[in-house]
Amino acid sequence: MAFSLFRPFNTGEPQRDSRGRLTGIDRYQDVLGRCWKRLFLSGLVTLAGFVPFALGVGYAILSSSILVLLPAAMIGGAVAGPFVACLYDGILRALRDAPGSWRGNFRRAFRQNWRGALLPGALTGLFVGTAAFAGMMLFAWSSVWPTAGTICVYLFSWLLFFAISTLYWPQLVLFEQSNLVRLRNLLLFTLKYFWRVLGASALQLVFWLLMALFAPWTLLLLPFVAVWFIQYAVLFLLYNKLEEAFQLEEQIAEQFPDQPVRRD
């Protein structure tokens, strides 16, 4: 298995938690080794779901038209929203060792979440589209390099976006809640696990900054790792805290007794 090449040898007996699961790097590689094909397929489908968004926002940027940008970003984001929900659903299924085929799970997730994902997808598209447009104005079209304060505000907006989206989408695909409850939960979770959430958000920020700075060459990575891998890494870092705060597996077991938990 390719991922075992990165396993640190001579680290002693793998550690397991009270549920019998591997912990640390062993758990990370165990899940990734078993589920990378499913995550890769979810990433490809999600990337395809962003094609309308990319075309619309790309045209708005090339034409320098904010009037085109706003509807294109929102409509494209709404189209992509259900696919983003399915991506998060697939990653969380992998992390809780849920059974089932990729095709069946993806269809089930799409059917359950597509309506609820339209609005957050549209808002996500609106932010990403306007942030991309603003980035072009600040760093490509302007003859004067932006001030350090402007750059900090711009990067902080992305950091805040990553924090919100990383904690919002898992709640959308796992629980039947109002948006107000989800926002309250993510605020309380952030306050309780501030440094963990900050680190996860910063990791995404650095990843996508590198993707942007080294474009167009990094675009070659998009179909392979960019869409799903960073989300897997981030949710892996947060999963135990999410489980502790929301009792994810206990609630899933109550609602879906046909999804036994794997303990090896």
Side-chain angles (χ1 to χ4, degrees), residues 184-255:
R184 184 195 65 187
N185 286 342
L186 74 86
L187 177 60
L188 294 175
F189 186 90
T190 301
L191 292 175
K192 186 174 182 179
Y193 303 108
F194 177 79
W195 294 110
R196 183 69 65 99
V197 174
L198 179 62
S201 304
L203 180 63
Q204 293 179 81
L205 178 62
V206 170
F207 179 88
W208 288 109
L209 272 178
L210 292 175
M211 292 291 291
L213 291 174
F214 291 98
W217 303 110
T218 48
L219 297 180
L220 298 174
L221 297 175
L222 280 175
F224 302 103
V225 297
V227 176
W228 67 268
F229 180 74
I230 185 62
Q231 295 305 324
Y232 168 74
V234 165
L235 287 178
F236 177 83
L237 293 174
L238 293 176
Y239 184 78
N240 286 338
K241 300 303 181 185
L242 289 169
E243 164 66 16
E244 180 181 326
F246 299 120
Q247 292 82 48
L248 300 182
E249 295 184 6
E250 180 180 340
Q251 295 194 51
I252 292 296
E254 292 177 356
Q255 297 181 38

Side-chain angles (χ1 to χ4, degrees), residues 56-57 59-70 133 141:
V57 172
Y59 178 78
I61 290 175
L62 291 175
S63 61
S64 303
S65 174
I66 193 73
L67 295 179
V68 174
L69 173 72
L70 296 179
F133 194 91
W141 299 337

